[in-house]
Amino acid sequence: MRVLSLISGGKDSCYCMLQCIASGHEIVALGNIKPTPGTDEMDSYMYQSVGHEVIALYAEALDLPLFQRETKGQTVNSTQTYEPSSNDEVEDLYQLLKEAREKIAFEGVSSGAILSNYQRVRVESVCLRLGLVSFAYLWQRDQKELLDEMISSDIKAIVIKTASLGLDPEKVLGVDICNLSQYFSSLNAKYQLNVCGEGGEYETLTLDCPLFKKKIEILDQEIVYITKDDYAPVAFLKIKKACLVDKCMTQELAEFHFKKPSDFVREFDSISDKTEQKIEKFVRTCAFSFDDISPHISIIKKKLWITGLLGREKSIRQSTEHVMQQISTLMHEKGLTMRNLIKINVYIKSMADYMELNAVYKEYFIVNPPVRACVEVPLPSNIQFVMDCQATFGETETLHVQSISNWAPANIGPYSQGVLDDNFIYTSGQIGLVPGLMTLIESSTQNQNSLILRHLTRVLKGVRENVSLKHVVVGFCYTTDGFVADSEWPPLFIPVVVAGLPRNADVEWQVIAQIDVEKVDINYTNVEIQNGVIEMTVCRCDCDNFILFKYRSGMEMMNLDDFKRGLELVDKELDVGYVQVFCIPDDNLEFYKLIEGFFKNCCVSVVPILRFERPDCHLIVFLHGLK
């Protein structure tokens, strides 16, 4: 892909260029936002301004066209999300890239964001508006490891601004980062200084790197103090005069060993030695009809569910428009908007319709769409897909990373990676993508599964720093080849075999995590039924209760009396809002009517699947209720 690199002159944007090249992209131009004349250092959340005097030399050293635009560094919209705001400094970036595209062709934009959600979200917003791909290969990298990589990659960068306890401008300004790395680490241990300066502790200016055809030499400089605080003075190096000088090219660029996207998933590359028990893929038709199913709403406290959303128009586009409009109308009737949605499940008859569905679906979300899972299941001939959704009347926090990085996969559809609502983190379905390439890892299903769990770990941490896989209470494991993960985790484990997954993946995970494990109480109960057993797991999390039934029997068909017996085990004081039934489509839908009659006004979602992880399993029922 042809990429325009946003540069500040610092080490981070420079190293991201190297990472783009290591990932197979071509840097074709540079972009820079500079302060207005007479301003050396501006107070901006978005842009580095110190060192702007040498940006033209930087571009000349790279032998690349440079596009610049002035900004006053004014912030109008400082919220976690960003929407176009007149006179905001972000709009200067939009105009810069828009004008650059009129003069040179490029498809992607790279930036050096490491930790700043503020910067990442705004660059992504601009790229989305212009139809560009955002590359942020440094995103969420370990800072000590990252700084060491920059130094070993022969990036010569000096400190050009300091604003932290322990950084004496007289001793640090103008010093190469390679001579300060250990000192930064000691300050991290002593004062929690960000080793890469991501907290604004220091800024840098790159004088040379493997991409430079010449190097920058500073001829005259002076230290300018902004504040002369005794403990943490703020100062920067004003470059009065600089020039380019020839450099001895001891190594060709191809000889440098930059980390590639595949290096970040190396541990998942090898084919597992363990023989995988794979189920032969086959096509199953759906024997029952959805004719009696229609949209239904359930509201309990601050939660709302909608089920029975069926796509059955002439085309997938018309069906998607109809269903999304149904959701919008039903939400509006309850005083909500599409922004209140936190989770949507899409059960589609053919994954070939995935892209066309997305094209319509995305038009209903401006920023921070809900989390989503989309899997292919056997449906009747007149049904293209089934949707159900969950919304909230409360406030949420959303993790929506659209930039391609080596952290975790960017969204390949209009969904967010994670949403926090009322102490629960809901994630989108994750598959085994190599994050930096956004292609499926070529490895065993077992290794795909392990990579997915790493993705989920990072997504959960991205939403809340202290949350990990141990906080997961519900896990949906969709597989196409019968692979079964460790059933000891999570407590409510729902493994089912489906007809297809995005990108032709073998396995997909979607989870729900409770951010406070102290509030989780798990109980397991087995109840004997005719020729089998009902395995019941109850997870109590304060007011929220999640219940899982697995019906195991040697009989060919599910016995309705046994099914009812399981429902009778549910606490009568529990207000059930949502019931999800995973079933073999050869069965009839009598159990559906039973549920509707048993839990008054609850939403019921029926999901036909190919089979369960065990041949004796006839039905899996998942309930979400509140007390």
Side-chain angles (χ1 to χ4, degrees), residues 77 87 95 165 193 202 207 210-211 249 257 285 319 335 348 365 399 434 439 500 575 586 595 616:
N77 181 345
N87 297 321
Q95 291 299 327
L165 193 67
L193 173 137
Y202 71 92
L207 302 180
L211 296 176
M249 303 290 286
H257 298 290
T285 57
S319 290
I348 195 167
F365 303 102
L399 180 68
V434 178
T439 56
D575 203 352
D586 293 340
I595 293 172
D616 65 341

Side-chain angles (χ1 to χ4, degrees), residues 10 160 196 217 272 300 303 403 495-496 612:
I160 196 170
C196 279
E217 185 175 295
S272 172
I300 303 177
K303 290 182 170 63
S403 297
V496 293
F612 294 100

